[in-house]
Amino acid sequence: SQGARIISAVDAFFDLTRNPFNVFGRVLGKQEAIGYMREQAGKLFDPRVVDALNVLQSGDILRQRVEQDGRQL
């Protein structure tokens, strides 16, 4: 199900970025984790979920909302 795909990707992202005992044996930066997940998109992760996770973690949604309100960052 789509919900399971979302939970799986988010869980993997948190594992990669917070768990020093993950598959890499170290904590990855957010962009590095997303890069790995993009490499695995279509294999381990749903590509649409990885894209959405990237947008959410990057702050792009918040940036767009602030700019729409006429504020500058």
Side-chain angles (χ1 to χ4, degrees):
S1 79
Q2 191 66 23
R5 292 176 186 170
I6 292 168
I7 291 170
S8 174
V10 171
D11 184 55
F13 179 77
F14 283 137
D15 186 58
L16 292 169
T17 59
R18 296 181 180 182
N19 178 9
F21 302 105
N22 64 34
V23 69
F24 290 98
R26 63 184 174 85
V27 172
L28 302 183
K30 291 178 181 179
Q31 289 302 324
E32 190 176 11
I34 289 292
Y36 167 74
M37 293 177 76
R38 281 189 172 158
E39 290 172 7
Q40 299 303 316
K43 301 172 197 166
L44 296 177
F45 307 108
D46 183 319
R48 294 174 297 166
V49 174
V50 174
D51 288 343
L53 184 60
N54 181 48
V55 170
L56 289 171
Q57 73 80 29
S58 71
D60 286 345
I61 290 174
L62 178 59
R63 184 177 300 110
Q64 290 170 1
R65 287 183 181 166
V66 168
E67 290 172 352
Q68 286 174 351
D69 288 345
R71 295 182 250 165
Q72 294 181 348
L73 297 175

